[in-house]
Amino acid sequence: IDTYSTYNWKYSVLLWVGKSVWTNSVIVTDDVLNKIEEIKKDIPNNIDIITIQNEWKTARDATNMLLVNLAQSILIVFFVLALYLWKKDAFNTAFSIPLTLWLVFFIALILWENINRITLFALILVLWMLVDNSTVVVENISRHLNERINTWKTKLESVLEWVQEVWMWVILSTLSRLLAFWAMFAVWGMMWEYMWPIPKFAIIALLISLLIAFTINPWLSYSWAREVTESDRSNNKQNTSKYDIR
């Protein structure tokens, strides 16, 4: 032995524990600390096991903070939309947020991508963008469904009509955001090692939100609306009728 390690003026053995790839550092640290407590019961009294460096608490606190902010953002979006789009439309729009995030995590699991603080930051960064497409789609569908009492169109015809009006603009607006994040792929070197999850997961989330806006949101609007009857038209004495989905 050429060198000795000391801690508090006592000879010591330094042991570093690292996690494997694709494992949760918080869970691994909990298991290691629990194992240390078990070992302490079996070792002599003159031997101590001391943790001198533990980044688990910092990582856990930061992750929990991001998750709390994410949940708060979802609730804020729902209540704000409820003020302007009414309850069913607001739920239809806000529902796209957790659905998009769930699909992002599912795709990350399939691709064996690591979910860390940078990944969560990327999702929070595009959170307000995830409801943009759904808001445009749901509001326009709601307007067409509300006009059926005068246009004599069916639910399916009203839902399909919105596609002809805004599909191109929704795609172009999403494309402009994708190009903004795509520019971040030009970063190289050490900075790229930290930044690459941001454009990657942001682009995945935006594409999924676009898919949901063209599939799930129209289907929910169609399912929650009912066909207009002759009695609805004869009893329509106000601008707002009873048949719309709001």
Side-chain angles (χ1 to χ4, degrees), residues 115-202:
I115 302 297
N116 50 37
R117 284 174 288 178
I118 303 298
T119 304
L120 296 177
F121 171 77
L123 296 178
I124 292 179
L125 182 64
V126 300
L127 182 63
W128 66 274
M129 304 180 190
L130 301 182
V131 296
D132 192 13
N133 294 334
S134 296
T135 302
V136 174
V137 169
V138 172
E139 189 278 332
N140 202 46
I141 293 178
S142 179
R143 179 175 60 85
H144 282 285
L145 290 173
N146 196 43
E147 293 174 352
R148 287 179 299 156
I149 201 167
N150 298 320
T151 60
W152 295 72
K153 294 181 179 179
T154 63
K155 288 195 304 181
L156 182 59
E157 291 174 341
S158 299
V159 171
L160 292 179
E161 187 176 3
W162 81 265
V163 179
Q164 302 175 358
E165 289 186 358
V166 300
W167 71 268
M168 181 182 298
W169 316 116
V170 172
I171 293 178
L172 290 177
S173 64
T174 304
L175 181 61
S176 64
R177 300 186 186 97
L178 294 178
L179 293 177
F181 285 104
W182 188 268
M184 297 182 67
F185 284 109
V187 179
W188 295 100
M190 182 181 298
M191 184 60 67
W192 171 248
E193 298 295 330
Y194 295 95
M195 292 185 59
W196 73 266
I198 297 179
K200 187 172 185 177
F201 280 88

Side-chain angles (χ1 to χ4, degrees), residues 101-117:
L101 298 180
W102 183 86
L103 291 175
V104 169
F105 291 140
F106 180 74
I107 292 177
L109 180 63
I110 295 177
L111 300 178
W112 285 80
E113 294 290 347
N114 190 22
I115 302 297
N116 50 37
R117 284 174 288 178

Side-chain angles (χ1 to χ4, degrees), residues 56-72:
W56 157 75
K57 187 177 184 301
T58 303
R60 186 188 62 177
D61 293 342
T63 303
N64 290 339
M65 180 186 66
L66 291 176
L67 291 176
V68 170
N69 291 337
L70 189 61
Q72 291 175 345

Side-chain angles (χ1 to χ4, degrees), residues 16-27:
W16 294 84
V17 179
K19 73 179 186 69
S20 303
V21 182
W22 317 123
T23 56
N24 192 316
S25 60
V26 175
I27 296 177

Side-chain angles (χ1 to χ4, degrees), residues 67 70-78 81 90-107 123 126-131 134 205 208-209 212 216-217 220:
L67 291 176
L70 189 61
Q72 291 175 345
S73 300
I74 293 175
L75 293 176
I76 292 173
V77 167
F78 174 79
L81 291 176
F91 179 80
N92 189 1
T93 305
F95 176 71
S96 62
I97 301 177
L99 181 59
T100 300
L101 298 180
W102 183 86
L103 291 175
V104 169
F105 291 140
F106 180 74
I107 292 177
L123 296 178
V126 300
L127 182 63
W128 66 274
M129 304 180 190
L130 301 182
V131 296
S134 296
I208 293 177
S209 68
I212 292 175
I216 303 299
N217 293 133
L220 289 177

